[in-house]
Amino acid sequence: MIPNITRGSRMSGLMVYLTSTDTEKTKNAHSDPHLVAGDAAIMSWYDDGVLDRDDALAIAKHLDRPRKLFGVSVQIKDMQWDAAKKERVHVGYKDASVWHCSLSLRAEEGALTDQQWGDIANDFMDSMGFTEASGKAQCRWVAVNHGTSENGNHHIHLAVSLVREDGTKASTHGDYKRAQQTCRELEVKYGLEQLSTVHATRGYDQAEKATAVRDEREMHRSSLARKVRASASSSATEGEFVRRARETGMLVRPRYAKNTTDVIVGYSVAERPKQGERPIWFGGGTLASDLKLGALREEWMESPQLATEAAAEWNAAARNKRTVSKTGPEHATPPAEMWVQYTRNATALADQLRTIPRDDHATWAKAAREVSGAFAAWSYRLEPTPGPLAATAAELSRTAQLRAPREHSKPVALPSIAGTAMLFMAASSKNKTAAQTALMVQLINTAFAVYEMHAQSGRTREAQRIRAVVEQQLAPFTGTMPKAVLVGAEQQPATEAAVPPRSIDIARRGMVPIRPGSAVPTTPTPATPAKTYQPSRRDSGPGLDR
């Protein structure tokens, strides 16, 4: 159940909107707006009949009476955009006595009865402190059932006057966080689908989806997020990231600190538009919370020289000029033994993840970020259109995004597979090799470990989504991969007597099979630094993370 909160000053305007059935005046009009809950007085006057404009104005007058009687208004800061300063500035205060919140189910959950919505609304209002259950005078409120939206979401709207019956003001401090927590509790109480309190992903605008459907293409937000994730995961430095991102075909531009041209504090990306059209830009944070520049920088090497080099690449991108460096690691071919080393690291990572506590969200997020980046890079290299690799990367990226990353401790040291994205980016776009098969086996095992963590934590939705994409979408793909075994540091074709089990079978069991001829060493090899063709990461290459 998803809450969405807004503040306003006109109760009559809100109620007229909530009861509107005129599709010419509002695109969100509904055919059957009716009350399912409210304060005792309002519910004694109205039943579950369809509300019209006169009803809306009468209800608004009732809800607004304490505010007018006591002459009280609830003020909040009025922040407006200053074009000259290029920032939002405080210009005064404005009235915001009306609190409005919608409670929406996902389309897949279907619909609830009026009785169920009424019970949920009453419990929600008690928890938010707007009723006498708070020990204070109550606020006047109503809950309007809007039925099912054009997106398929069954939902209700809550309209609340923030001036209580005795003229005191209701506090809304921390209301969004409290609403989120209340929804999680009500999901358990009423047997609804439980959304995660830990992980959060960015939504999309309905118009954005409609445009993509019309143009018969993937949404730009999805394709850009995958390209950024692949570029970031395969880079050891910020300058390399800028160059790799530009090589994917994206438009890239920096966001500078105020009054500077060399201090980059953010970035935006866009797909190249058709001739005559303008690019649609997305900030890194709007793609995914873990794709903000600050979050990406935590994984790259740092030094004054590297910062200068990165600024030069950003400036070149902003001016649409060629990259500054022509000899970066993205132009080199990694040695063959790196495939073996990262396959061993991925094996060790999958094993160690099963010893990590389920509530160590930072460590799980870091592991999911690296695996998602590997699948994103492989998707970019092998899939002309989004396929099973892209879908797997997207599902794992959900676990990589934490609602409040600063509230979690630092991730523990794990065998690093960050370099696997670099390997896939450097791989041939036409050929699927035995080395790729061996590495993919272990990446799927790591993905399955993430699935197990969600399943054991009671996050059924996340667990089901990961399992579904691994079993249903990766299964056909893995059947096309060549078979291979690891012999020392060489990749050799498999014989009939030494054929590794199919990757998908491994993922279904959630374990690494140990048998002669397996692509997995009989005894997991500890992660050790491998010879690289590029400057090592701060974690000293494919060894242990920080």
Side-chain angles (χ1 to χ4, degrees):
M1 188 164 58
I2 305 170
N4 184 28
I5 298 172
T6 59
R7 297 277 295 274
S9 60
R10 295 182 63 248
M11 184 66 76
S12 59
L14 173 61
M15 288 306 305
V16 168
Y17 163 75
L18 294 181
T19 59
S20 174
T21 57
D22 190 344
T23 56
E24 294 183 359
K25 292 184 178 181
T26 171
K27 66 178 182 179
N28 292 320
H30 294 79
S31 59
D32 185 28
H34 58 278
L35 295 183
V36 293
D39 62 71
I42 204 70
M43 294 308 292
S44 67
W45 299 338
Y46 291 89
D47 54 20
D48 59 355
V50 176
L51 301 172
D52 58 20
R53 179 182 173 85
D54 289 340
D55 295 328
L57 293 176
I59 292 172
K61 183 177 180 180
H62 164 76
L63 298 179
D64 218 18
R65 189 177 300 279
R67 182 185 69 84
K68 291 185 176 181
L69 177 64
F70 292 101
V72 177
S73 65
V74 180
Q75 301 287 317
I76 61 173
K77 288 184 177 180
D78 186 6
M79 306 295 291
Q80 296 184 11
W81 179 257
D82 188 315
K85 296 182 179 180
K86 295 183 178 180
E87 62 182 14
R88 290 172 61 83
V89 297
H90 179 207
V91 297
Y93 291 87
K94 61 181 180 180
D95 181 71
S97 303
V98 179
W99 192 86
H100 168 222
C101 178
S102 64
L103 298 179
S104 176
L105 302 179
R106 293 179 64 248
E108 293 85 348
E109 294 184 82
L112 298 179
T113 65
D114 283 354
Q115 181 63 52
Q116 289 172 313
W117 272 128
D119 292 342
I120 289 172
N122 278 288
D123 286 349
F124 184 84
M125 294 298 291
D126 286 345
S127 180
M128 294 299 294
F130 293 137
T131 67
E132 292 177 335
S134 66
K136 302 176 182 178
Q138 72 164 3
C139 296
R140 296 189 178 188
W141 65 279
V142 291
V144 179
N145 188 337
H146 256 187
T148 303
S149 70
E150 61 180 11
N151 296 332
N153 309 104
H154 205 240
H155 64 288
I156 62 172
H157 289 263
L158 296 156
V160 184
S161 170
L162 293 178
V163 179
R164 299 181 184 273
E165 291 283 7
D166 60 359
T168 59
K169 302 176 184 178
S171 173
T172 58
H173 178 70
D175 57 349
Y176 180 76
K177 185 175 182 180
R178 188 161 66 251
Q180 290 281 351
Q181 181 59 40
T182 299
C183 284
R184 302 296 82 80
E185 295 170 355
L186 294 178
E187 287 163 358
V188 174
K189 180 176 180 178
Y190 290 97
L192 303 176
E193 180 180 352
Q194 297 179 41
L195 303 186
S196 176
T197 59
V198 178
H199 306 101
T201 54
R202 298 291 186 248
Y204 58 83
D205 185 86
Q206 184 66 18
E208 182 182 347
K209 182 179 181 181
T211 301
V213 172
R214 182 198 64 196
D215 297 342
E216 297 182 341
R217 60 165 173 80
E218 182 185 19
M219 286 191 297
H220 284 175
R221 188 188 303 265
S222 300
S223 61
L224 291 169
R226 187 167 58 256
K227 291 177 182 178
V228 169
R229 194 174 296 281
S231 302
S233 298
S234 57
S235 300
T237 67
E238 188 171 334
E240 182 183 349
F241 162 71
V242 179
R243 295 191 297 271
R244 285 188 183 275
R246 297 182 69 186
E247 285 182 355
T248 66
M250 291 187 295
L251 299 177
V252 180
R253 68 182 183 187
R255 178 164 59 86
Y256 299 104
K258 188 175 181 180
N259 299 324
T260 72
T261 58
D262 59 352
V263 180
I264 291 85
V265 295
Y267 72 96
S268 298
V269 292
E271 295 286 8
R272 291 188 178 277
K274 298 178 181 178
Q275 187 174 2
E277 296 183 355
R278 300 181 65 181
I280 302 174
W281 294 93
F282 292 85
T286 66
L287 298 176
S289 60
D290 65 321
L291 295 183
K292 296 178 182 178
L293 186 57
L296 296 180
R297 281 172 169 165
E298 294 179 1
E299 307 300 323
W300 296 327
M301 294 187 296
E302 293 178 313
S303 73
Q305 180 181 353
L306 290 175
T308 300
E309 293 174 357
E313 296 292 357
W314 282 115
N315 289 333
R319 294 169 175 78
N320 200 26
K321 294 183 176 181
R322 294 182 178 180
T323 58
V324 177
S325 174
K326 304 299 188 294
T327 59
E330 65 274 11
H331 299 298
T333 301
E337 58 265 22
M338 290 191 69
W339 287 92
V340 179
Q341 184 60 59
Y342 277 113
T343 299
R344 288 172 175 166
N345 282 9
T347 305
L349 175 61
D351 288 342
Q352 189 169 337
L353 279 176
R354 292 184 171 91
T355 69
I356 299 298
R358 297 192 300 271
D359 58 355
D360 188 350
H361 303 301
T363 300
W364 283 104
K366 180 175 176 59
R369 186 177 304 116
E370 290 191 1
V371 182
S372 176
F375 276 103
W378 203 1
S379 171
Y380 169 72
R381 184 55 64 189
L382 292 186
E383 295 179 324
T385 57
L389 299 175
T392 306
E395 286 306 323
L396 290 171
S397 72
R398 297 173 183 271
T399 302
Q401 302 175 60
L402 300 176
R403 288 190 181 276
R406 294 181 180 179
E407 296 180 2
H408 302 283
S409 58
K410 292 184 178 180
V412 302
L414 291 172
S416 175
I417 61 168
T420 56
M422 171 270 298
L423 292 178
F424 287 131
M425 290 290 276
S428 170
S429 61
K430 298 180 180 179
N431 300 322
K432 300 173 185 176
T433 68
Q436 294 175 2
T437 302
L439 183 50
M440 184 173 189
V441 169
Q442 305 314 323
L443 291 178
I444 293 180
N445 271 291
T446 307
F448 202 89
V450 177
Y451 153 79
E452 288 178 324
M453 178 272 292
H454 284 302
Q456 294 168 8
S457 301
R459 289 189 285 271
T460 306
R461 179 192 178 200
E462 288 87 342
Q464 290 177 340
R465 292 179 70 117
I466 294 175
R467 181 160 192 141
V469 75
V470 170
E471 293 188 346
Q472 298 172 16
Q473 298 203 45
L474 279 183
F477 182 85
T478 54
T480 68
M481 297 297 296
K483 295 168 180 158
V485 295
L486 290 180
V487 181
E490 299 291 333
Q491 292 288 343
Q492 301 291 346
T495 65
E496 290 297 326
V499 176
R502 294 179 66 209
S503 301
I504 197 64
D505 291 333
I506 297 172
R508 281 174 176 164
R509 288 197 299 273
M511 62 183 69
V512 179
I514 304 299
R515 71 185 194 188
S518 171
V520 184
T522 303
T523 302
T525 305
T528 55
K531 296 179 180 178
T532 62
Y533 72 107
Q534 64 178 22
S536 62
R537 293 173 179 269
R538 286 183 293 177
D539 59 11
S540 301
L544 292 179
D545 285 343
R546 291 177 287 111

